[in-house]
Amino acid sequence: SAPVYWKFQLQKIDFENVSFALQMPLDTLSMAVSLHRLALREGNADLHRMAYSARSFALEEGRFSFDTGSLPPAEEGLDPSHIAVTGLNIGMDSLYYAGNDIRAFIRTFELKERSGLEITSGEGRLVSDAHALQVPSFSIKTQDSALELNASMDWDAMDAGKEGTVQARLMADIGKNDLLKLVTGIPADFVRQYPSRPLQVRAGIDG
Protein backbone atom coordinates (compact mmCIF):
# COMPACT_ATOMS: atom_id res chain seq x y z
CA SER A 1 0.00 0.00 0.00
CA ALA A 2 1.04 3.60 -0.54
CA PRO A 3 2.71 5.32 2.41
CA VAL A 4 0.55 7.56 4.57
CA TYR A 5 2.04 11.00 5.18
CA TRP A 6 0.76 12.74 8.26
CA LYS A 7 0.48 16.44 9.03
CA PHE A 8 -0.12 17.70 12.54
CA GLN A 9 -1.22 21.09 13.79
CA LEU A 10 -0.29 21.77 17.39
CA GLN A 11 -2.11 24.94 18.35
CA LYS A 12 -1.25 24.93 22.03
CA ILE A 13 0.95 22.64 24.11
CA ASP A 14 1.78 23.15 27.78
CA PHE A 15 3.78 20.99 30.17
CA GLU A 16 4.18 21.82 33.84
CA ASN A 17 6.42 20.36 36.53
CA VAL A 18 8.06 17.71 34.39
CA SER A 19 11.16 15.79 35.53
CA PHE A 20 13.41 13.20 33.91
CA ALA A 21 16.43 11.36 35.27
CA LEU A 22 18.92 8.96 33.70
CA GLN A 23 21.58 6.92 35.45
CA MET A 24 24.18 4.70 33.78
CA PRO A 25 26.28 3.14 36.60
CA LEU A 26 28.60 1.25 34.25
CA ASP A 27 29.57 4.52 32.56
CA THR A 28 29.49 6.49 35.85
CA LEU A 29 27.13 8.91 34.17
CA SER A 30 23.97 10.51 35.46
CA MET A 31 21.75 13.23 34.08
CA ALA A 32 18.60 14.94 35.34
CA VAL A 33 16.26 17.46 33.74
CA SER A 34 13.30 19.24 35.26
CA LEU A 35 11.21 22.22 34.20
CA HIS A 36 8.53 24.33 35.71
CA ARG A 37 6.79 25.09 32.42
CA LEU A 38 7.22 24.38 28.72
CA ALA A 39 4.93 25.98 26.15
CA LEU A 40 4.63 25.74 22.37
CA ARG A 41 2.23 27.75 20.22
CA GLU A 42 1.02 27.22 16.64
CA GLY A 43 3.22 24.27 15.85
CA ASN A 44 3.14 22.31 12.61
CA ALA A 45 4.68 18.96 11.70
CA ASP A 46 4.75 17.71 8.11
CA LEU A 47 6.07 14.15 8.17
CA HIS A 48 6.13 13.93 4.38
CA ARG A 49 8.46 16.91 3.97
CA MET A 50 10.10 16.33 7.39
CA ALA A 51 9.37 19.98 8.14
CA TYR A 52 8.57 21.35 11.58
CA SER A 53 7.67 24.87 12.69
CA ALA A 54 6.26 26.84 15.60
CA ARG A 55 5.31 30.42 16.24
CA SER A 56 6.83 30.37 19.71
CA PHE A 57 8.56 28.11 22.22
CA ALA A 58 9.21 28.88 25.88
CA LEU A 59 10.91 27.01 28.69
CA GLU A 60 10.69 28.48 32.18
CA GLU A 61 12.67 27.74 35.34
CA GLY A 62 14.42 24.68 33.99
CA ARG A 63 17.07 22.70 35.85
CA PHE A 64 19.73 20.47 34.35
CA SER A 65 22.52 18.41 35.87
CA PHE A 66 25.18 16.25 34.28
CA ASP A 67 27.73 14.19 36.20
CA THR A 68 30.32 11.80 34.87
CA GLY A 69 33.40 10.13 36.32
CA SER A 70 34.16 9.04 39.86
CA LEU A 71 35.81 12.24 41.10
CA PRO A 72 33.77 14.66 43.24
CA PRO A 73 32.83 18.08 41.80
CA ALA A 74 35.46 20.80 41.95
CA GLU A 75 35.00 23.07 44.95
CA GLU A 76 35.43 26.18 42.82
CA GLY A 77 35.01 27.10 39.19
CA LEU A 78 33.33 25.44 36.24
CA ASP A 79 33.73 21.66 36.25
CA PRO A 80 32.84 20.14 32.82
CA SER A 81 32.36 16.74 34.49
CA HIS A 82 29.80 18.09 36.94
CA ILE A 83 27.45 20.61 35.36
CA ALA A 84 24.52 21.92 37.40
CA VAL A 85 22.26 24.53 35.81
CA THR A 86 19.28 26.23 37.46
CA GLY A 87 17.05 29.13 36.46
CA LEU A 88 17.13 28.07 32.80
CA ASN A 89 14.80 30.25 30.74
CA ILE A 90 14.63 29.98 26.95
CA GLY A 91 12.29 31.84 24.64
CA MET A 92 12.27 31.45 20.85
CA ASP A 93 10.02 32.69 18.05
CA SER A 94 9.52 31.92 14.36
CA LEU A 95 10.99 28.44 14.51
CA TYR A 96 11.41 26.35 11.37
CA TYR A 97 13.34 23.17 10.65
CA ALA A 98 13.45 21.14 7.45
CA GLY A 99 16.86 19.57 6.84
CA ASN A 100 19.32 22.41 6.25
CA ASP A 101 16.52 24.98 6.15
CA ILE A 102 16.52 26.37 9.67
CA ARG A 103 15.23 29.60 11.19
CA ALA A 104 15.03 30.70 14.80
CA PHE A 105 14.87 33.95 16.73
CA ILE A 106 16.19 33.64 20.28
CA ARG A 107 14.60 36.33 22.43
CA THR A 108 15.44 34.95 25.89
CA PHE A 109 18.33 32.90 27.21
CA GLU A 110 19.14 32.89 30.93
CA LEU A 111 20.77 30.42 33.30
CA LYS A 112 22.77 29.99 36.49
CA GLU A 113 25.56 27.43 36.84
CA ARG A 114 26.86 25.82 40.04
CA SER A 115 30.20 27.61 39.61
CA GLY A 116 28.48 30.97 40.06
CA LEU A 117 28.53 31.82 36.37
CA GLU A 118 25.21 33.45 35.47
CA ILE A 119 23.94 34.46 32.04
CA THR A 120 21.53 37.31 32.68
CA SER A 121 20.41 37.80 29.07
CA GLY A 122 20.90 36.32 25.64
CA GLU A 123 19.36 36.85 22.24
CA GLY A 124 20.14 36.18 18.61
CA ARG A 125 19.10 34.84 15.23
CA LEU A 126 19.90 31.65 13.34
CA VAL A 127 19.25 31.30 9.60
CA SER A 128 20.18 28.44 7.32
CA ASP A 129 19.37 27.24 3.82
CA ALA A 130 20.70 24.61 1.43
CA HIS A 131 23.94 26.58 0.93
CA ALA A 132 24.98 28.17 4.20
CA LEU A 133 24.42 28.48 7.94
CA GLN A 134 24.35 32.05 9.27
CA VAL A 135 24.27 33.59 12.72
CA PRO A 136 23.61 37.26 11.85
CA SER A 137 23.61 38.23 15.52
CA PHE A 138 24.08 36.51 18.85
CA SER A 139 24.82 38.14 22.19
CA ILE A 140 24.97 37.05 25.82
CA LYS A 141 25.59 39.06 28.96
CA THR A 142 26.48 38.34 32.55
CA GLN A 143 26.80 40.81 35.39
CA ASP A 144 30.45 41.36 34.48
CA SER A 145 30.85 40.30 30.85
CA ALA A 146 29.39 40.67 27.36
CA LEU A 147 29.87 38.67 24.16
CA GLU A 148 28.73 39.34 20.61
CA LEU A 149 29.09 36.98 17.66
CA ASN A 150 28.15 36.98 14.01
CA ALA A 151 29.19 34.16 11.73
CA SER A 152 28.45 32.32 8.52
CA MET A 153 29.58 29.00 7.11
CA ASP A 154 28.95 27.27 3.81
CA TRP A 155 27.75 23.72 4.30
CA ASP A 156 30.38 22.65 1.77
CA ALA A 157 33.05 23.65 4.30
CA MET A 158 32.16 20.52 6.29
CA ASP A 159 32.87 18.28 3.30
CA ALA A 160 36.56 17.43 2.86
CA GLY A 161 36.09 17.09 -0.89
CA LYS A 162 34.52 20.50 -1.43
CA GLU A 163 35.39 24.14 -0.90
CA GLY A 164 33.35 26.49 1.26
CA THR A 165 33.84 29.77 3.07
CA VAL A 166 33.76 30.42 6.81
CA GLN A 167 33.48 33.89 8.34
CA ALA A 168 33.15 34.88 11.97
CA ARG A 169 33.53 37.97 14.15
CA LEU A 170 33.75 37.76 17.93
CA MET A 171 33.81 40.65 20.39
CA ALA A 172 33.94 39.85 24.08
CA ASP A 173 34.61 41.77 27.29
CA ILE A 174 35.22 39.19 30.02
CA GLY A 175 35.06 40.45 33.59
CA LYS A 176 37.54 39.30 36.21
CA ASN A 177 34.88 37.52 38.29
CA ASP A 178 33.70 35.47 35.31
CA LEU A 179 37.25 34.67 34.23
CA LEU A 180 38.05 33.23 37.65
CA LYS A 181 34.93 31.03 37.46
CA LEU A 182 35.92 29.69 34.04
CA VAL A 183 39.66 29.22 34.71
CA THR A 184 40.52 27.44 37.94
CA GLY A 185 43.80 26.83 39.72
CA ILE A 186 45.16 30.34 39.20
CA PRO A 187 47.79 31.28 41.83
CA ALA A 188 46.53 33.68 44.50
CA ASP A 189 49.27 36.25 43.76
CA PHE A 190 48.22 36.37 40.11
CA VAL A 191 44.58 36.85 41.10
CA ARG A 192 45.44 39.77 43.37
CA GLN A 193 47.55 41.48 40.70
CA TYR A 194 45.15 40.86 37.83
CA PRO A 195 43.44 44.14 36.83
CA SER A 196 39.73 44.56 37.53
CA ARG A 197 38.97 45.88 34.06
CA PRO A 198 37.47 43.35 31.62
CA LEU A 199 39.66 41.25 29.35
CA GLN A 200 38.90 42.35 25.79
CA VAL A 201 38.83 39.74 23.03
CA ARG A 202 38.48 40.71 19.37
CA ALA A 203 38.75 37.86 16.91
CA GLY A 204 37.92 37.24 13.28
CA ILE A 205 38.02 34.27 10.93
CA ASP A 206 37.92 34.41 7.14
CA GLY A 207 38.56 31.30 5.15
Side-chain angles (χ1 to χ4, degrees), residues 132-147:
L133 170 67
Q134 298 181 359
V135 183
S137 63
F138 179 72
S139 64
I140 59 174
K141 294 181 180 179
T142 73
Q143 293 182 347
D144 300 294
S145 306
L147 179 150

Side-chain angles (χ1 to χ4, degrees), residues 11-18 35 37-41 58:
Q11 289 298 111
K12 181 180 179 181
I13 295 179
D14 289 289
F15 293 97
E16 293 186 357
N17 301 320
V18 177
L35 55 93
R37 180 173 178 267
L38 184 149
L40 183 143
R41 297 293 183 267

Side-chain angles (χ1 to χ4, degrees), residues 135-198:
V135 183
S137 63
F138 179 72
S139 64
I140 59 174
K141 294 181 180 179
T142 73
Q143 293 182 347
D144 300 294
S145 306
L147 179 150
E148 293 185 7
L149 170 71
N150 64 74
S152 65
M153 179 190 71
D154 291 346
W155 288 114
D156 285 346
M158 301 183 66
D159 191 329
K162 298 181 180 178
E163 293 185 358
T165 62
V166 177
Q167 295 180 331
R169 297 290 182 272
L170 172 68
M171 296 191 300
D173 295 325
I174 305 174
K176 180 178 180 179
N177 289 336
D178 288 335
L179 185 64
L180 296 178
K181 294 166 187 172
L182 293 172
V183 183
T184 59
I186 301 177
D189 289 342
F190 180 86
V191 173
R192 285 194 296 268
Q193 297 175 12
Y194 190 88
S196 297
R197 62 178 181 272

Side-chain angles (χ1 to χ4, degrees), residues 26-39:
L26 295 180
D27 295 327
T28 62
L29 183 150
S30 64
M31 181 176 67
V33 179
S34 66
L35 55 93
H36 173 66
R37 180 173 178 267
L38 184 149

